[in-house]
Amino acid sequence: MSQQGERRTSDDDWWARLYDEPAPDSSPAAAGDTLDDRFKSVAEAVSPPVPDPRAQTPYEPEDLPDARPPAPDQVLPRVPWQPPGSRARPGPARTSGWWEPSDALPPMAPPPPGYRPAVPAPPPKPPAARPTAEPPPAPPPDQPAAPTVPAPQEAAPAAPTVPAPQEAAPEPPPPPAPRPQVGHVGDRPPTYDAEPTALPNARPDGLGELVADTVLDGARYGAYVLRAASVRGDSARYRGEPRRDALLTARFGNGEDALVLVAVASGMRAFEGAHLAAADACRWIGGAIGRSHARLADDIRAGRRGDLKSGLHRLTDRSYGRLRARAAELGAEPEEYTAGLRCLLLSADPGCRTRVFFGVGPGGLFRLRAGVWQDIEPVAPEPGEISGEPVVGFGSPPSETAEGDRLTMDLHTVEPARPYIDPPAPPAEPFRFRASVARPGDTLLLCSGGLAEPLRGEPALAKELAERWAGNGPPGLAGFLADVQLRVKGYADDRTAVAVWEA
């Protein structure tokens, strides 16, 4: 019957003939032709015969060459717990075969109860010299004292000796004072949390447009140390908006001829792509500076302020022209796709301490000297101060004299209506430029509006940063980031700061 309980019939014999009754091999050899048989024949042909370990008996001492029984008075090897000179056999000698593991040998006899291995005694100490009854006289202050031999514990206590004067070891420098951990300054804590809450929205085909929450950089060249940081504001962290501030640090050239550029740009608050405009502004001004870095570095070392101001003004205007062209490509208004731009140019020459600032838009430029902050932001001219009196050959003459006499004939006619004309656009942001010579110990701070406004509006923040940065040397990258993140209630915009410590 089958496994299912069915009876076999004659029709099922074909299954047995195919799988249960192997047909004899048609080759003339009587041996089988399986894979095992072939492997065995090949192994016997290429390897020497291996004796069967089960058919052999362990070697006896009599079978080994030069094997003699030990003499009666011969001292046999003993185990640690047997007495010295023991003549008793520990047991029949037996070696393990190659097929037996090492643990197949009979174990040694267990140690007797209470056995402890002997530990060699330490060598005796040399006898100490007896102290003299009278202590040696104290040496004069200008000569070192001879070393005294300490008395052993068994001897009577000797008279106290005057310790010899020793050279005072140089004291290690005191550790730096720990930086204060202040989360905020002011009377009340800020409204938003100090840590990021939401990430900005991302598009699958625009992942290259994403910007990090925080950017941190630093360097040391010549006679200054550079620290730069850009942090997303508390408001943008809470609402899931991207950081509108952009930061660029770049070095052009090598050696003392190198020129370091630090650019800070801030996009418009109400525009969705403000962070892209800020990044474009930094990238394009960086490219323009890099192509002219050799001449700019030479002008900075030579102190050619007039050439620097006119040249940098021209490079800045070209960058803003590219921003306006980019806005037209995107279908945005030029007033929306723009950014405030502020830059620092630093020479890598240790003998050059001229620091050049230029830019357009809001922000701040401060200097910490002798523990006091100085606002050295170039004053922008008022819109009315840009246009002056008429110049010969330019502009129009006045319609009447100073005495009130009109220079034209008044025909008392009614002026016809004119088509509506848009009012003139407000004047553009003026170009700002300043070249100053730094002193040792100064700290120059360039920042965006997110840090400049609380520095000017909250004295507690300016005081706290002055205490941290005055006289203590430049902080590390982590310490500088903690300083920039000091929060003030009512100021939740992005913060970007660039500080230069003069050696």
Side-chain angles (χ1 to χ4, degrees):
M1 297 180 64
S2 64
Q3 295 181 358
Q4 285 80 13
E6 300 175 354
R7 297 181 178 275
R8 294 185 180 273
T9 61
S10 59
D11 297 336
D12 297 332
D13 293 339
W14 65 272
W15 183 269
R17 288 194 300 272
L18 286 175
Y19 296 97
D20 295 342
E21 297 179 0
D25 193 1
S26 58
S27 62
D33 193 20
T34 63
L35 181 60
D36 295 338
D37 295 336
R38 293 190 178 187
F39 178 82
K40 182 177 181 182
S41 63
V42 172
E44 292 176 354
V46 299
S47 61
V50 181
D52 188 5
R54 294 172 294 180
Q56 297 180 1
T57 58
Y59 288 104
E60 297 295 336
E62 297 83 14
D63 300 334
L64 299 176
D66 299 335
R68 300 181 180 89
D73 56 348
Q74 183 179 359
V75 178
L76 300 179
R78 63 184 180 88
V79 292
W81 52 82
Q82 289 182 342
S86 174
R87 302 176 185 272
R89 293 177 177 272
R94 181 176 182 271
T95 59
S96 62
W98 61 268
W99 62 88
E100 296 179 340
S102 59
D103 55 357
L105 294 175
M108 303 181 69
Y115 167 75
R116 295 181 180 178
V119 179
K125 298 181 179 180
R130 291 182 173 272
T132 58
E134 297 180 0
D142 55 347
Q143 297 182 1
T148 58
V149 180
Q153 297 180 359
E154 295 82 2
T161 59
V162 179
Q166 300 180 358
E167 297 182 358
E171 298 181 359
R179 301 181 64 83
Q181 301 295 331
V182 180
H184 68 275
V185 294
D187 299 335
R188 295 175 297 171
T191 305
Y192 300 100
D193 295 335
E195 300 300 331
T197 303
L199 291 172
N201 188 25
R203 298 185 297 108
D205 54 348
L207 298 181
E209 302 173 356
L210 298 178
V211 293
D213 177 90
T214 303
V215 176
L216 190 61
D217 205 351
R220 180 190 297 269
Y221 286 102
Y224 63 86
V225 176
L226 174 67
R227 295 288 183 263
S230 182
V231 184
R232 188 163 57 136
D234 295 343
S235 176
R237 284 178 169 181
Y238 179 78
R239 303 176 187 277
E241 299 175 355
R243 176 170 50 88
R244 294 181 293 105
D245 283 4
L247 174 65
L248 172 66
T249 54
R251 173 181 61 87
F252 303 104
N254 300 310
E256 296 183 357
D257 297 333
L259 183 66
V260 176
L261 166 69
V262 186
V264 177
S266 301
M268 302 300 293
R269 185 192 303 270
F271 183 58
E272 183 179 358
H275 62 290
L276 303 179
D280 287 342
C282 288
R283 182 168 58 253
W284 288 331
I285 193 63
I289 295 295
R291 287 185 289 270
S292 305
H293 76 276
R295 183 172 179 180
L296 287 171
D298 185 63
D299 289 343
I300 291 176
R301 287 195 297 266
R304 305 186 187 100
R305 302 195 179 193
D307 296 344
L308 286 171
K309 183 176 182 180
S310 60
L312 294 174
H313 195 174
R314 183 173 61 254
L315 296 180
T316 304
D317 287 345
R318 291 179 181 176
S319 300
Y320 274 93
R322 299 187 64 177
L323 273 178
R324 289 189 293 269
R326 180 60 176 166
E329 294 177 1
L330 299 177
E333 295 295 334
E335 296 80 11
E336 296 178 349
Y337 197 84
T338 187
L341 181 63
R342 310 175 71 79
C343 304
L344 269 181
L345 288 180
L346 309 170
S347 175
D349 188 355
C352 179
R353 289 186 177 270
T354 303
R355 313 301 180 219
V356 177
F357 158 77
F358 69 95
V360 173
L365 182 65
F366 304 91
R367 180 172 57 198
L368 181 62
R369 176 172 291 178
V372 179
W373 284 108
Q374 301 174 359
D375 192 345
I376 59 175
E377 175 80 8
V379 179
E382 297 294 335
E385 298 177 0
I386 299 178
S387 59
E389 295 294 333
V391 183
V392 177
F394 297 91
S396 302
S399 59
E400 58 184 20
T401 63
E403 290 78 10
D405 297 336
R406 300 183 60 86
L407 301 179
T408 58
M409 183 180 296
D410 187 5
L411 301 178
H412 301 281
T413 58
V414 179
E415 184 177 1
R418 297 181 179 181
Y420 176 77
I421 301 176
D422 294 335
E429 288 283 348
F431 177 76
R432 303 170 188 262
F433 174 86
R434 185 183 184 94
S436 59
V437 179
R439 299 179 185 176
D442 286 354
T443 301
L444 186 65
L445 176 62
L446 170 70
C447 55
S448 62
L451 183 59
E453 293 178 3
L455 269 177
R456 295 188 178 108
E458 182 60 49
L461 178 61
K463 179 182 178 182
E464 181 69 22
L465 290 181
E467 293 177 355
R468 296 190 180 195
W469 292 353
N472 297 328
L477 292 180
F480 181 72
L481 179 61
D483 296 342
V484 174
Q485 287 182 307
L486 276 174
R487 303 190 301 152
V488 182
K489 185 176 180 59
Y491 301 94
D493 289 342
D494 299 346
R495 289 186 179 184
T496 302
V498 178
V500 181
W501 276 263
E502 301 291 341

